[in-house]
């Protein structure tokens, strides 16, 4: 009889205070399929490496794919919050989808850490963006770095060719501003599509404007095409790319054509070449070692590092948040947001973040290095 | 804009147009014989390209396992569709088509791939791997629907396209590939810079068009295909196996798709999902040509290639808009000329 009562009580207790209240639920939505799959796949692989426990609390990750589709990203986020009781959302990989998720974060009061590039996700700060953090470097930081490098190399005129999408347009805008500040003239601004088989027309237009340097704003392997065509047509100026190409597949596809290209990137790309005094170096090497142990040598990409950084940010905030409330409660989520905003000198694989009420990215110039391609490998420029 | 730029753009447009022409031809062929608008044609371009790129690097292409899987699915579909009236001979033929042939190709690839075969061997092997997928897909997806309305077939084709894109990501991964060109030669003629690959593309496209013409005019199989295209029921009445015609049409489409992919992957980076927009341009050309005329489709494809090339010079940001809206005035002109047709088959 007693036994029955004990069991009944246990069951009742079980229902009243479900065990999941003790677990921190992390909802992840990333683009493991679709046009941004080369960003989303390393991010998904990274999630598999993340700590399953922080400050004595179990962490459970639920990963969903949004295919870089804004509608699916929002649906995933609602599902993760309503069905999986997510305390925090990590994602997503692309800017348009991240922008669509903003309002859900504000409405449900669940903090979100985006892994996409555009500064528009966290600026200008408002009621919705209060709940949103972003770990990749702002485009503007990278555009400034390119413009500064060009000015130092006495480049006066630049031809621009970028993707015919949010990535290329964002760069066109940021770079026009950054170049203007350095008195660099943009002689031609062209667009091409990811799947184009030829960019001859655009390249002829670039060549006709006789620029000192060409900036190619594309991501991943398709960014090699304009450079190859420019080479074929005998362009002899400097080539600049953006950090969107910072993975080894670009080197593989680009081959000889991309030698000498200059680009800004997160320090993780050349982690081994950083001076030992750089606090980012051990963090980045730790991530690279973990990732390559699980996925094979040479498989790491900087994009996966953003997923790792997102976790560094939120796990750093967990101990503080636990003092304010239990996981699964509104208090915990609000405290998690507050604690993330209070992070200072937080070392990540891509930089060192100093969060503030107005800046939810927190990176400074330590979050980027200039890199060139030499003998088919990335080389840190002084 | 001077004469040399004009020439270079025209050359570029013709090279791209040749690829679109091949795709447009295969779309017209498949539509005429089976009434399927083969949306998934673009996937064959991507698959052929990625398989060829993997083989030239000495890797075993992921497409092998896709071929094996489709073979098994084709066997199951064939057994189910013919249940009740299978004979020993028909089952043997089914086994040969769905199991034996893919197994032979897989075995050959597994032996040859690590040896890093030459470019021609790699190209032929890629064609052998990708081409049989298309008739297998016909057997699995379209044969049971042979008498369905065009709209149902179109929806099936879209579904097939989505499924193949997903499978492409699984088997090839998210990264893009580029392959070495057939020849590194560069011919300079005045302002023109003619890469060897461009000559290969135009030569192979022309040869293929002539071969198709000869096939349809001179061979019995070709005539049977044409008869099926003209009148399905009539063709069946005179003893032409229309399902066989469908299989052949799909095999040709798969072959042309894979070949187009192999031809363009030395020029640009292709990813698992970039076939669709290339196929779409072939489709635009096929529509402009009236979806029934082979010379019309080829001319329209050249027009699409040239439009694209010149649009990319004058207004690169609006290139896609310009290329794809070109279809609207053509459709308007067609419907004004022919009036509305009640096409409910």
């Amino acid at each position: 009889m007693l036994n029955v009562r004990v069991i009944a009580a246990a069951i009742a207790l079980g229902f009243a205070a479900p065990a999941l209240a003790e677990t921190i639920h992390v909802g992840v939505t990333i683009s493991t399929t679709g046009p941004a799959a080369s960003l989303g796949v390393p991010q998904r692989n990274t999630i598999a490496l993340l700590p399953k426990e922080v400050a004595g609390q179990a962490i459970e990750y639920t990963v969903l794919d949004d295919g870089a589709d804004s509608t699916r990203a929002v649906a995933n986020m609602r599902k993760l919050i309503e069905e999986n009781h997510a305390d925090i959302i990590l994602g997503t990989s692309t800017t348009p989808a991240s922008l669509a998720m903003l309002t859900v974060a504000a409405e449900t009061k669940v903090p979100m850490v985006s892994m996409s590039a555009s500064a528009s996700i966290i600026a200008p700060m408002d009621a919705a963006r209060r709940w949103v953090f972003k770990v990749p470097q702002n485009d503007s930081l990278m555009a400034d770095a390119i413009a500064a490098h060009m000015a130092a190399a006495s480049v006066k005129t630049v031809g621009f060719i970028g993707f015919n999408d949010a990535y290329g347009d964002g760069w066109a805008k940021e770079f026009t501003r950054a170049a203007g500040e350095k008195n660099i003239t943009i002689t031609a601004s062209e667009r091409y599509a990811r799947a184009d088989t030829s960019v001859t027309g655009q390249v002829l237009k670039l060549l006709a404007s006789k620029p000192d340097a060409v900036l190619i704003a594309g991501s991943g392997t398709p960014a090699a095409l304009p450079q190859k065509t420019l080479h074929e047509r005998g362009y002899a100026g400097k080539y600049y790319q953006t950090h969107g190409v910072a993975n080894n597949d670009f080197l593989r596809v680009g081959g000889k054509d991309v030698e000498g290209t200059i680009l800004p990137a997160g320090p993780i790309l050349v982690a081994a070449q950083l001076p030992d005094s750089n606090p980012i170096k051990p963090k980045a090497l730790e991530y690279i070692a973990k990732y390559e142990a699980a996925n094979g040598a040479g498989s790491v990409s900087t994009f996966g590092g953003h997923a790792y950084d997102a976790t560094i940010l939120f796990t750093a905030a967990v101990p503080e948040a636990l003092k304010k409330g239990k996981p699964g409660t509104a208090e915990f989520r609000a405290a998690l947001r507050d604690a993330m905003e209070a992070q200072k000198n937080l070392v990540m694989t891509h930089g060192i973040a100093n969060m503030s009420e107005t800046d939810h990215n927190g990176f400074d110039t330590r979050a980027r290095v200039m890199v060139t391609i030499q003998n088919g490998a990335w080389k840190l420029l002084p | 804009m001077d004469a040399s730029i004009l020439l270079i753009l025209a050359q570029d447009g013709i090279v791209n147009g040749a690829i679109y022409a091949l795709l447009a031809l295969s779309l017209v062929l498949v539509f005429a014989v089976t009434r399927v608008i083969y949306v998934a044609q673009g996937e064959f371009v991507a698959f052929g390209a990625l398989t060829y790129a993997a083989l030239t690097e000495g890797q075993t292409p992921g497409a092998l396992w896709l071929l094996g899987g489709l073979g098994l699915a084709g066997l199951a579909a064939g057994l189910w569709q013919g249940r009740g009236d299978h004979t020993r001979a028909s089952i043997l033929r089914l086994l040969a088509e769905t199991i034996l042939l893919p197994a032979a190709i897989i075995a050959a690839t597994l032996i040859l791939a690590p040896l890093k075969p030459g470019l021609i061997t790699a190209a032929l092997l890629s064609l052998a791997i990708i081409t049989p997928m298309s008739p297998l897909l016909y057997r699995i997806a379209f044969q049971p629907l042979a008498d369905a309305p065009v709209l149902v077939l179109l929806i099936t084709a879209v579904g097939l396209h989505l499924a193949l894109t997903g499978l492409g990501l699984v088997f090839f991964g998210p990264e893009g590939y580029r392959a070495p060109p057939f020849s590194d030669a560069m011919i300079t003629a005045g302002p023109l810079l003619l890469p060897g690959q461009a000559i290969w593309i135009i030569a192979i496209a022309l040869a293929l068009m002539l071969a198709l013409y000869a096939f349809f005019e001179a061979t019995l199989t070709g005539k049977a295909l044409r008869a099926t295209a003209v009148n399905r029921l009539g063709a069946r009445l005179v003893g032409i196996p229309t399902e066989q015609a469908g299989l052949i049409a799909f095999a040709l489409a798969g072959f042309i798709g894979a070949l187009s992919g192999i031809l363009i992957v030395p020029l640009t980076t292709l990813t698992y999902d970039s076939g669709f927009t290339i196929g779409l341009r072939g489709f635009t050309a096929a529509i402009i040509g009236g979806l029934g005329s082979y010379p019309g489709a080829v001319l329209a494809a050249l027009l699409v290639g040239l439009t694209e090339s010149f649009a990319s010079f004058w207004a690169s940001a609006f290139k896609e808009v310009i290329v794809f809206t070109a279809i609207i005035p053509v459709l308007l002109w067609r419907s004004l000329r022919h009036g509305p047709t009640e096409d409910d088959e």
Side-chain angles (χ1 to χ4, degrees):
Chain A
M1 194 63 199
L2 188 71
N3 272 345
V4 175
R5 262 191 215 159
V6 169
I7 292 166
I11 291 171
L13 264 177
F15 278 109
L20 57 89
E22 293 304 315
T23 310
I24 301 174
H25 290 265
V26 179
V28 185
T29 171
I30 38 185
S31 317
T32 53
T33 62
S38 76
L39 311 179
V41 169
Q43 287 166 353
R44 181 195 59 201
N45 294 344
T46 303
I47 301 289
L49 309 171
L50 295 178
K52 303 285 181 281
E53 197 189 298
V54 168
Q57 296 286 325
I59 303 186
E60 195 181 293
Y61 298 90
T62 311
V63 182
L64 297 180
D65 166 40
D66 56 46
D69 174 346
S70 304
T71 317
R72 263 170 76 193
V74 168
N76 281 351
M77 185 166 176
R78 289 196 183 278
K79 181 170 186 273
L80 288 165
I81 292 171
E82 279 156 26
E83 292 176 20
N84 300 70
H85 311 284
D87 292 310
I88 181 164
I89 299 290
L90 306 185
T92 181
S93 319
T94 62
T95 296
S98 292
L99 286 173
M101 289 161 64
L102 290 184
T103 44
V104 187
E107 176 198 316
T108 54
K109 302 208 180 314
V110 173
M112 146 184 167
V113 183
S114 170
M115 298 173 213
S116 46
S118 171
S120 57
I121 296 162
I122 49 158
M125 189 51 66
D126 58 18
R129 290 178 171 83
R130 222 175 85 81
W131 290 90
V132 180
F133 296 81
K134 181 175 90 85
V135 279
Q137 299 84 344
N138 287 334
D139 283 344
S140 52
L141 184 73
M142 297 304 204
D144 286 339
I146 293 184
H149 190 277
M150 285 175 172
S154 54
V155 168
K156 294 273 181 290
T157 50
V158 176
F160 177 90
I161 176 164
F163 271 175
N164 202 355
D165 62 11
Y167 189 83
D169 277 345
W171 263 94
K173 201 170 122 232
E174 281 303 331
F175 184 70
T176 309
R177 177 195 56 76
E181 287 168 8
K182 298 278 180 195
N183 289 320
I184 296 169
T185 319
I186 296 177
T187 55
S189 183
E190 298 297 310
R191 298 285 187 283
Y192 75 110
R194 239 171 248 275
D196 274 359
T197 48
S198 158
V199 288
T200 309
Q202 293 94 322
V203 160
L204 290 176
K205 197 109 176 247
L206 287 177
L207 288 177
S209 72
K210 296 194 171 41
D212 294 338
V214 170
L215 170 62
I216 300 161
S219 62
T221 46
L225 176 64
Q227 202 163 346
K228 185 180 144 65
T229 312
L230 279 161
H231 251 292
E232 258 175 29
R233 300 276 157 196
Y235 178 67
K238 283 191 159 56
Y239 294 96
Y240 287 83
Q241 289 269 5
T242 66
H243 58 303
V245 303
N247 69 359
N248 290 336
D249 291 285
F250 178 73
L251 295 179
R252 173 175 57 74
V253 165
K256 287 196 296 290
D257 293 325
V258 299
E259 279 289 306
T261 309
I262 300 161
L263 62 143
I268 182 176
L269 182 66
V270 285
Q273 298 170 39
L274 294 172
D276 286 335
S277 57
N278 191 331
I280 299 166
K281 184 174 183 175
K283 206 73 186 176
L285 288 178
E286 166 198 312
Y287 166 67
I288 295 172
K290 272 192 198 172
Y291 191 93
E292 298 201 334
N295 299 288
S299 57
V300 76
S301 88
T302 62
F303 311 123
H306 296 313
Y308 200 70
D309 288 349
T311 326
I312 292 178
L313 175 60
F314 105 83
T315 49
V318 163
E320 196 57 36
L322 282 172
K323 292 180 194 161
K324 304 274 172 55
K326 277 202 178 314
T329 62
E331 292 77 29
F332 177 76
R333 291 167 186 170
L336 199 58
R337 192 212 74 86
D338 295 344
M340 285 200 285
E341 193 174 74
Q343 291 300 319
K344 295 286 177 222
N345 284 320
L346 183 66
V347 180
M348 303 186 183
T349 64
H350 274 271
I352 298 168
N354 282 294
M355 298 290 177
S356 72
E357 265 178 46
T358 49
D359 184 1
H360 278 188
N361 175 242
F363 279 161
D364 50 30
T365 52
R366 288 174 293 181
R368 52 131 177 96
V369 290
M370 292 306 287
V371 172
T372 186
I373 299 172
Q374 209 173 65
N375 300 326
W378 308 105
K379 184 156 187 321
L380 179 65
L381 286 173
Chain B
M1 182 93 187
D2 54 24
S4 65
I5 289 183
L6 194 80
L7 275 176
I8 297 171
L9 289 178
Q11 173 209 330
D12 200 54
I14 290 171
V15 173
N16 282 332
I19 295 289
Y20 304 152
L22 288 181
L23 293 174
L25 281 181
S26 62
L27 285 170
V28 171
L29 167 67
V30 168
F31 182 75
V33 175
T34 65
R35 297 173 306 126
V36 174
I37 293 175
Y38 201 18
V39 186
Q41 168 76 335
E43 266 58 56
F44 283 85
V45 177
F47 287 7
L50 294 175
T51 306
Y52 172 65
L55 282 171
T56 54
E57 285 179 20
Q59 296 168 5
T60 309
L64 281 188
W65 315 124
L66 184 58
L67 176 63
L70 284 176
L72 289 177
L75 176 66
L79 287 176
W80 173 257
Q81 284 155 22
R83 63 190 182 282
D85 44 55
H86 271 306
T87 59
R88 179 189 277 265
S90 74
I91 287 186
L92 279 180
R93 205 172 58 228
L94 189 66
L95 275 176
E97 272 174 36
T98 58
I99 302 297
L100 220 58
L101 180 70
I105 294 169
I106 291 173
T109 313
L110 286 179
I111 295 168
L112 285 173
L115 302 176
K116 224 175 170 186
L119 295 183
I120 302 296
T121 323
L124 292 177
L125 209 51
S126 319
L127 287 173
I129 296 169
I130 303 300
T131 308
M133 289 184 189
S134 187
L136 282 171
L137 285 173
Y138 175 74
R139 199 181 269 292
I140 297 164
F142 294 108
Q143 201 160 311
L145 298 172
D147 298 316
V150 173
L151 188 61
V152 172
L153 294 173
L154 173 65
I155 293 170
T156 314
V158 171
L160 203 60
H161 152 67
L162 294 174
L164 284 178
T165 314
L167 289 169
L169 179 62
V170 172
F171 288 104
F172 297 105
E175 291 302 338
Y177 286 86
R178 210 166 79 188
F182 291 162
S183 93
D184 278 323
M186 277 278 181
I187 298 166
T188 332
L192 284 186
L193 187 71
L194 213 56
Q197 188 69 21
I199 300 173
W200 270 98
I201 290 181
I202 292 176
I204 291 184
L206 281 177
L208 201 64
M209 283 173 205
L210 285 177
L212 279 178
Y213 178 77
F215 172 69
F216 284 121
E217 291 296 324
T219 68
L220 193 61
T221 320
K223 285 178 182 162
L225 279 187
R226 274 169 59 209
T228 316
V230 173
N231 189 331
R232 239 183 121 71
L233 188 63
R236 204 179 289 171
L237 285 176
V238 296
I240 294 171
T242 50
E243 276 157 8
Q244 207 62 31
L247 283 175
I248 294 172
F250 267 74
L252 276 172
F255 175 80
I256 292 175
L259 182 68
S260 310
I262 294 169
L263 286 174
I264 55 173
V265 72
L267 297 177
T268 185
T269 314
L270 289 182
T271 55
Y272 74 98
D273 63 346
S274 48
F276 181 62
T277 48
I278 300 171
L280 208 55
R281 291 189 174 88
F283 177 69
T284 309
I287 293 285
I288 293 177
L291 209 55
S293 145
Y294 296 98
V298 172
L299 284 179
L302 286 178
L303 191 71
V304 170
L306 288 170
T307 312
E308 192 182 13
S309 168
F310 283 92
S312 73
F313 182 78
W314 277 310
S316 60
F318 298 103
K319 190 195 74 183
E320 313 270 277
V321 181
I322 294 170
V323 169
F324 291 123
T325 41
I327 208 171
I328 295 175
V330 174
L331 288 182
L332 266 178
W333 174 71
R334 282 193 165 276
S335 66
L336 287 176
R337 215 180 108 203
H338 298 293
T341 45
E342 290 298 321
D343 188 26
D344 51 7
E345 304 226 20

Short mmCIF file of all heavy atoms in Angstrom, two decimals, chain B residues 173 188 196:
data_model
loop_
_atom_site.label_atom_id
_atom_site.label_comp_id
_atom_site.label_asym_id
_atom_site.label_seq_id
_atom_site.Cartn_x
_atom_site.Cartn_y
_atom_site.Cartn_z
N GLY B 173 27.61 17.34 -50.83
CA GLY B 173 28.02 18.33 -49.84
C GLY B 173 27.72 19.74 -50.32
O GLY B 173 27.39 19.95 -51.48
N THR B 188 43.98 33.41 -79.75
CA THR B 188 43.73 34.84 -79.81
C THR B 188 43.47 35.20 -81.26
O THR B 188 44.27 34.88 -82.14
CB THR B 188 44.95 35.62 -79.30
OG1 THR B 188 45.63 34.78 -78.37
CG2 THR B 188 44.53 36.89 -78.61
N GLY B 196 40.08 27.14 -75.21
CA GLY B 196 39.84 25.84 -75.82
C GLY B 196 38.51 25.26 -75.41
O GLY B 196 37.81 24.63 -76.21
#
